[in-house]
Amino acid sequence: MTRRLSSDGPQSGQPSTERPRSAVVDCALYLDGQRQAGDWDYADALAAAGGAEAGFVWLGLHEPELAEMTEIATTYGLHELAVEDAVKAQQRPKLERFGEVSFLVLRTARYCEHTELTENSEVVETGQVMLFIGPQFVISVRHGDACRLAPVREELEARRELLLNGPWAVAYAITDRVVDLYLEVADQLEDDMDVLETEVFDRQTSGRIQRIYQMKRELVEFKRAVMPLQRPLVTLTSQMNRDVPKEVRRYFRDVQDHLSRTVEQVNSYDDLLNSILQARLAQVTVDQNNDMRKIAAWAAIAAVWTAIAGIYGMNFDFMPELRMTYGYPVVLALMLSISLALYRWFRRNDWL
């Protein structure tokens, strides 16, 4: 059977007219701390920056494909291992050096608004930003939407004195924005912690353990973004680091202080969640013990009726009170009296 394509469908042998999506979000040339007008191709911008004494290129990319990233790497002289990491975006925060190019990996985080914390609530959304920092260029590769860089570029372009420090000024501005988002996430996580704590110690609510475990999972994801960044910042602020200008190192030290505050908050949240979980587990154990005491109390009351009825239900001829006229109502009154006495005693001791 021969299958024919309609005239509207794609024909074999014809090249596709669709152009692949470009990952380039913005390409800017900066000379003497000021952005130059015009739309620049990344290769032309690098050539123009190379001919200037105080010029550099900031190329912004969003989730690039390997083919496009390889072309950019050829133009800018990027190492293939760093290029592979930038495309896959599965790296922990780190700082590496390949020749004259430094490769800085950041994990971004953003708080997800929710009306109620449930067993499936997404509390923290994470992504990644990779920075290639060379003598006359900085390439930012963003994955996810946890941290958008357009506001960073806008704010930085208004600070000419900072841009005069070159590509590392851009690296500082992006890192500062990422850490500021950490602080915002940490502050908003505190509200969720307060809600969990209130539910656990409020006897009128259920306070399900699944919510606490969900919060711990989200906190672990946040810790994976925050904790590993400490070592790269120590390297960037070190006096032995000659790549980062002295003035920019001061700014990085401020970022390091903010990160330290976030680390302290995250550690305290982890301890608090463990305490909340232990408290909830203790409450479950206490509730189970209370239930067992109630069952045991009712079983003791029922045992009185069972014991007396069992004794008088034996088929013996010579048993006391068998011939009494009022023996039956007396025994019933005795069983009821003992049961009421036990019930009052259990109620007085909070067993019922």
Side-chain angles (χ1 to χ4, degrees), residues 95 100-104 131-135 137-139 167-168 171:
L95 176 64
E100 294 185 343
V101 179
S102 297
F103 182 55
L104 176 62
L131 300 178
F132 295 90
I133 309 156
F137 66 86
V138 56
I139 302 174
W168 280 104

Side-chain angles (χ1 to χ4, degrees), residues 148-280:
R148 296 184 177 274
L149 300 182
V152 178
R153 188 186 292 266
E154 183 179 350
E155 293 176 6
L156 189 59
E157 289 176 355
R159 303 174 62 182
R160 181 173 180 271
E161 71 285 353
L162 184 58
L163 274 175
L164 287 173
N165 292 287
W168 280 104
V170 177
Y172 151 72
I174 295 175
T175 307
D176 183 56
R177 176 58 178 166
V178 169
V179 175
D180 284 346
L181 287 177
Y182 289 168
L183 288 172
E184 293 179 10
V185 172
D187 291 340
Q188 290 172 308
L189 283 177
E190 187 173 1
D191 297 334
D192 288 331
M193 298 292 180
D194 293 339
V195 172
L196 282 177
E197 191 173 12
T198 301
E199 289 182 351
V200 166
F201 293 102
D202 185 2
R203 303 302 295 173
Q204 304 299 322
T205 58
S206 59
R208 287 174 291 182
I209 294 179
Q210 291 87 340
R211 297 182 183 182
I212 304 176
Y213 276 115
Q214 176 65 18
M215 195 65 190
K216 284 185 70 69
R217 285 194 293 266
E218 295 296 313
L219 185 61
V220 167
E221 184 176 0
F222 186 45
K223 287 179 66 175
R224 289 173 180 169
V226 175
M227 297 298 186
L229 186 56
Q230 297 178 91
R231 179 172 293 181
L233 281 182
V234 169
T235 303
L236 291 174
T237 56
S238 173
Q239 298 291 338
M240 303 299 295
N241 193 328
R242 302 303 179 186
D243 296 329
V244 184
K246 182 178 179 180
E247 185 65 26
V248 179
R249 284 204 303 268
R250 297 176 182 175
Y251 287 100
F252 272 117
R253 279 193 289 270
D254 181 67
V255 175
Q256 188 178 25
D257 291 339
H258 292 171
L259 182 66
S260 298
R261 174 188 162 188
T262 307
V263 169
E264 292 175 359
Q265 286 181 286
V266 170
N267 288 331
S268 66
Y269 294 161
D270 198 13
D271 294 338
L272 180 59
L273 272 178
N274 289 332
S275 300
I276 292 175
L277 181 60
Q278 293 300 322
R280 182 55 188 153

